């Protein structure tokens, strides 16, 4: 180790993808500040939210993203999402020709289905951590795994069958990286992960997964206030996988469309989309559904409906749906549903009940490292401040002032 450090100090070599992030963490500095940027990280191509032209381009692009993210390349971490990129990617996916076959490589390590299974198992572990503790809890570790362990597999030797399975599994893992980055409010980075996941799913000929990726893009677009774009992405997802869509996927896509329409104030269209989602979910057969969509059940749909009715100022309906949205199985989702319930009570004028519900949410989310959760609290605090000040609200603020998430929302309000 002493020789390594001496070599770095003398400029004969630079820390690699393993040691570079460790040094960044130890000194609490970015790779750029430590002078560790690797070749390509200064390339503005990383900042372009582009859709790769080929499977090889997808491998190169996603590998660069993982590496730059791992080394804390600040221009990428602070990048803004690109609205045109959503339109370009969804259109190119919709009109794409037959999926390109990942070429059978003649170099690199040999990759088999066992390797693909290992990626799936590891990604599932990170997904569970994300669900229980929020996107910022293990995001860095997940990216390190993808960069150091998965990149060599993508660049290895594999047959067409293995290549399809590999691309599909890596697309799912990259989708998770996008969700974790979105939950951390790294929105430009999250969008770029979603785009690369979509291209990988295209080359895997996994249209169901590709549709789910467009649905994730729609979710993010609604969060960012791009409501028309969000509705379009949800419709593109439904249209693009119509021949192979399952009831649960259709329900999810209709729900995403409803979320966007609620924000535009189109109540009739929002209710129609929610009705379509409910009808689709009622016809599902779990044995025919992809494993990764199993989380979307009646409780999840109730949570989406609660968001919708809150946003169209139908407090009574929002309360009813939010009360049915607590699954007890998904910590972060239950936190969001609890906060929506609190918002609905507040909009109905019941400040005391709203504050009581937020107390439950804060206890539920004590271990969550999620910028989105903090955002929900910020919105509640702003709405609470807009009501007439009362003994109830003052006592509530005094009671919650030491909660970790509340302190985080305090910092965000100051900014």
């Amino acid at each position: 180790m002493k020789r390594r450090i001496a070599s770095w100090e003398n400029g004969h070599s630079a820390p690699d993808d393993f040691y570079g992030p460790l040094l960044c963490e130890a000194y609490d500095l970015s790779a750029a500040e430590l002078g560790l940027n690797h070749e390509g990280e200064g390339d503005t191509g990383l900042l372009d939210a582009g859709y790769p032209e080929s499977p090889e381009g997808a491998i190169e692009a996603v590998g660069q993203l993982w590496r730059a993210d791992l080394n804390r390349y600040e221009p990428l971490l602070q990048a803004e999402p690109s609205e045109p990129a959503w339109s370009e990617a969804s259109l190119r996916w919709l009109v794409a020709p037959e999926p390109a076959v990942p070429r059978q490589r003649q170099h690199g390590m040999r990759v088999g289905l066992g390797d693909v299974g290992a990626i799936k198992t590891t990604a599932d572990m990170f997904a569970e951590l994300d669900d229980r503790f929020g996107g910022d809890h293990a995001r860095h570790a997940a990216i390190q795994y993808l960069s150091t362990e998965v990149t060599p597999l993508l660049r290895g030797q594999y047959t067409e069958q293995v290549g399809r399975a590999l691309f599909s599994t890596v697309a799912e893992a990259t989708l998770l990286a996008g969700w974790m980055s979105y939950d951390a409010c790294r929105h430009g980075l999250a969008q770029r992960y979603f785009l690369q996941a979509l291209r990988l799913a295209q080359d895997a000929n996994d249209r169901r997964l590709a549709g789910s990726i467009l649905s994730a893009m729609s979710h993010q677009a609604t969060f960012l206030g791009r409501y028309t774009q969000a509705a379009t992405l949800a419709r593109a997802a439904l249209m693009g996988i119509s021949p192979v869509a399952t009831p649960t996927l259709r329900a999810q896509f209709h729900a995403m469309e409803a979320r966007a329409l609620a924000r535009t104030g189109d109540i009739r269209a929002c209710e129609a989309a929610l009705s379509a989602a409910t009808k689709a979910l009622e016809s599902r057969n779990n044995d025919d559904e992809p494993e990764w969509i199993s989380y979307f059940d009646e409780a999840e749909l109730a949570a989406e409906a609660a968001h919708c009715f809150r946003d169209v100022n139908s407090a009574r309906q929002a309360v009813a749906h939010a009360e049915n949205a607590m699954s007890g199985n998904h910590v972060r989702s239950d936190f969001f549903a609890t906060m929506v319930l609190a918002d609905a009570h507040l909009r109905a004028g019941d400040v005391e009940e709203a504050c009581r519900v937020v107390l439950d949410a804060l206890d539920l989310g004590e271990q969550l490292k999620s910028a989105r959760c903090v955002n929900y609290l910020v919105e509640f605090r702003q709405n609470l401040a807009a009501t007439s000040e009362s003994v109830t609200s003052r006592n509530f603020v005094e009671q919650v002032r030491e909660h970790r998430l509340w302190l985080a929302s305090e910092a965000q309000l100051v900014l």
Side-chain angles (χ1 to χ4, degrees):
M1 188 63 198
K2 288 182 179 178
R3 276 198 219 120
R4 283 181 187 270
I5 295 173
S7 178
W8 299 337
E9 288 176 339
N10 293 329
H12 297 309
S13 66
D16 59 19
D17 286 349
F18 177 77
Y19 288 105
L22 293 180
L23 289 172
C24 291
E25 194 161 342
Y27 289 102
D28 196 25
L29 294 170
S30 70
E33 289 169 323
L34 285 174
L36 302 181
N37 278 356
H38 294 281
E39 183 180 354
E41 288 182 18
D43 187 349
T44 56
L46 272 175
L47 303 181
D48 294 335
Y51 194 69
E53 297 286 344
S54 66
E56 291 74 26
I59 292 171
E60 184 62 27
V62 78
Q64 284 185 342
L65 276 177
W66 292 334
R67 181 171 175 170
D69 187 1
L70 191 60
N71 284 287
R72 299 184 184 179
Y73 181 51
E74 283 301 317
L76 177 63
L77 295 179
Q78 302 302 327
E80 294 295 325
S82 163
E83 189 163 340
W86 282 319
S87 300
E88 179 194 1
S90 58
L91 178 60
R92 289 183 61 182
W93 174 72
L94 281 170
V95 302
E98 286 297 310
V101 179
R103 65 184 177 86
Q104 298 186 33
R105 294 170 174 265
Q106 302 303 316
H107 56 83
M109 63 187 298
R110 292 186 179 277
V111 182
L113 292 177
D115 298 302
V116 177
I119 298 172
K120 171 65 175 169
T121 300
T122 306
D124 286 346
M125 178 196 70
F126 282 120
E128 183 177 349
L129 292 173
D130 171 56
D131 183 50
R132 291 182 59 190
F133 301 113
D136 249 348
H137 172 73
R139 199 187 77 82
H140 190 75
I143 300 303
Q144 184 169 40
Y145 170 75
L146 291 170
S147 182
T148 59
E149 301 296 331
V150 176
T151 298
L153 296 176
L154 287 172
R155 294 173 177 167
Q157 300 181 56
Y158 38 79
T159 64
E160 179 181 339
Q161 177 194 12
V162 171
R164 295 271 192 226
L166 177 64
F167 273 46
S168 180
T169 302
V170 176
E172 188 179 343
T174 305
L175 171 60
L176 173 62
W179 275 114
M180 295 173 90
S181 301
Y182 168 24
D183 198 48
C185 286
R186 302 282 191 184
H187 289 297
L189 177 61
Q191 183 194 48
R192 285 154 179 79
Y193 280 135
F194 289 148
L195 293 171
Q196 301 311 319
L198 183 64
R199 175 68 217 211
L200 290 166
Q202 175 187 324
D203 293 322
N205 198 23
D206 193 339
R207 296 196 72 77
R208 289 175 175 176
L209 179 58
S212 189
I213 294 164
L214 285 177
S215 179
M217 293 182 187
S218 173
H219 196 292
Q220 184 191 28
T222 294
F223 185 86
L224 293 172
R226 274 72 162 202
Y227 308 128
T228 300
Q229 186 68 59
T232 300
L233 285 164
R235 291 167 186 151
L238 186 60
M239 179 187 301
I241 75 162
S242 184
V244 295
T246 65
T248 304
L249 285 169
R250 287 200 301 272
Q252 184 192 57
F253 302 162
H254 283 304
M256 290 303 99
E257 182 184 9
R259 284 281 299 270
L261 292 169
R263 286 288 192 170
T264 68
D266 193 338
I267 299 175
R268 181 175 296 181
C270 171
E271 290 180 339
L274 282 177
S275 178
T278 302
K279 185 177 179 180
L281 198 61
E282 288 172 350
S283 66
R284 80 186 185 282
N285 179 349
N286 288 332
D287 292 337
D288 296 333
E289 299 287 346
E291 176 270 333
W292 42 259
I293 197 63
S294 61
Y295 78 93
F296 197 89
D297 54 14
E298 288 82 1
E300 193 71 20
L301 180 56
E304 302 297 351
H307 279 84
C308 291
F309 287 115
R310 178 202 63 178
D311 294 339
V312 299
N313 292 314
S314 182
R316 181 180 60 81
Q317 287 179 285
V319 167
H321 285 285
E323 288 176 339
N324 291 325
M326 313 301 174
S327 68
N329 298 319
H330 304 289
V331 176
R332 185 177 49 208
S333 294
D334 285 352
F335 176 89
F336 290 146
T338 306
M339 287 303 305
V340 171
L341 178 60
D343 282 337
H345 282 304
L346 190 62
R347 295 184 188 206
D350 192 344
V351 176
E352 183 174 353
E353 183 62 12
C355 292
R356 186 196 67 77
V357 172
V358 171
L359 279 172
D360 291 341
L362 288 170
D363 289 338
L364 180 67
E366 182 64 24
Q367 299 303 313
L368 287 170
K369 295 180 71 175
S370 163
R372 276 198 297 153
C373 289
V374 174
N375 185 276
Y376 273 62
L377 275 172
V378 168
E379 187 173 0
F380 176 82
R381 292 184 65 165
Q382 291 170 335
N383 292 336
L384 181 64
T387 65
S388 57
E389 188 175 349
S390 65
V391 173
T392 298
S393 60
R394 287 197 300 272
N395 289 342
F396 163 74
V397 172
E398 184 65 28
Q399 192 173 358
V400 301
R401 62 191 308 170
E402 297 303 321
H403 274 268
R404 186 180 60 80
L405 285 176
W406 191 263
L407 289 170
S409 70
E410 184 81 43
Q412 191 164 317
L413 281 168
V414 169
L415 293 175

